Amino acid sequence: MALVPFDDRDGWIWWNGSLVPWRDARPHVLSHGLHYASAVFEGERAYNGHIFRLRDHTERLIASAGMLGFALPWDAEAIDAASRQVLAANGLTDGYVRPIAWLGSEVLGVSPHGASANLAIAAWAWPSYYGADRMQGIRVGEAVWKRPSPETAPTAAKCTSLYTIGSLSKRKAEDEGYSDALMLDWRGLVAETTGANIFFVIDGALHTPTPEGFLDGITRRSVMALARRHQMTVIERQIQADEIGLASEVLLAGTAAEVTAVREIGPHRYTPGRITDTLMRGYDALVRETPAEVARALA
Ligand code: PMP
């Protein structure tokens, strides 16, 4: 099925305070955000009419902007309300929500001083990121690009500039027939894939890298809480690249990816098993609960 280009769709986009027709949501080409990557965003999923962990995403958006040195002229309450409004305006109960904040076109130079902060929020239907492979396990290649040190980039921010690394890695992985790429960090330790965090089952326990140079995903934290509720041992630690061969099961966690099994990383093979199955089912059930139930489950 041919994909309809994103600028050739109908619907509504929340744009600096009001809903505008989808086709009219165009920033100027001389926007600071486009030239100097002064832009931060979120990826959220709605299930049964509720955006899963909306406040956590909104707070991360505000924090990401702060790490890039700009403040959004809306508070978390207003951004949450706008996110719900845009979901409803597009007639969606299940779908993906994409807020993006960027510096505008008042100035155009490396200095961001004088550029205004803008915020837009779109929502569209987006089924499973990896399709049917989510249960069987996807094939993951090994990225050449590395996650940079927190001294090199604001690695805790979900900022567009960091996605250059992911985008280059994902392109290469797909060109080689893989679904995604495993990225190491600047030290050669295991980091994440291009759009999700990673977990390894080693000797029956769930191991995941400490988020020292990559996004501490909201799904990652939900999966860790779920695992503990199922009496699994969860170990957050630095993971060496040569340990990926020790795992029996490997899984990814991210808003778009949800919980996805991995059956291959480069030369290594895995068989999705009981732990992956439990976490996948647990996550699929959790996201469909009401926000109050989700908060209770993760407390
Ligand atoms: N790492 C990267 C690079 C991502 O893009 C994402 C998706 N936002 C994640 C991890 C997972 O984060 P979350 O679970 O909050 O979606």
Side-chain angles (χ1 to χ4, degrees), residues 55-73:
R55 180 52 64 94
D56 294 302
H57 283 284
T58 298
E59 284 177 352
R60 187 169 67 187
L61 180 76
I62 293 169
S64 295
M67 285 181 242
L68 264 60
F70 65 95
L72 299 182

Side-chain angles (χ1 to χ4, degrees), residues 24-107:
D24 297 347
R26 296 175 182 274
H28 196 271
V29 68
L30 298 179
S31 293
H32 198 277
L34 182 60
H35 294 249
Y36 301 105
S38 50
V40 297
F41 67 104
E42 271 305 315
E44 305 163 2
R45 270 192 193 271
Y47 302 88
N48 285 346
H50 300 292
I51 301 171
F52 181 64
R53 298 191 66 173
L54 173 59
R55 180 52 64 94
D56 294 302
H57 283 284
T58 298
E59 284 177 352
R60 187 169 67 187
L61 180 76
I62 293 169
S64 295
M67 285 181 242
L68 264 60
F70 65 95
L72 299 182
W74 293 275
D75 63 12
E77 200 76 41
I79 296 172
D80 282 0
S83 308
R84 293 191 191 100
Q85 189 189 3
V86 80
L87 190 72
N90 288 293
L92 297 166
T93 54
D94 292 68
Y96 185 77
V97 181
R98 166 59 59 90
I100 178 149
W102 72 99
L103 292 185
S105 46
E106 292 84 356
V107 297

Side-chain angles (χ1 to χ4, degrees), residues 184-209:
L184 304 180
D185 72 10
W186 75 104
R187 301 163 296 188
L189 298 173
V190 174
E192 55 171 358
T193 60
T194 66
N197 293 120
I198 193 160
F199 289 86
F200 299 90
V201 177
I202 301 174
D203 294 333
L206 197 61
H207 296 247
T208 195

Side-chain angles (χ1 to χ4, degrees), residues 41-43 57 60 147 158 163 192-197 214-220 253-256:
F41 67 104
E42 271 305 315
H57 283 284
R60 187 169 67 187
R147 287 269 163 226
K158 192 166 169 66
Y163 282 82
E192 55 171 358
T193 60
T194 66
N197 293 120
F214 58 87
L215 218 55
D216 179 6
I218 292 166
T219 318
R220 172 185 187 275
T255 296

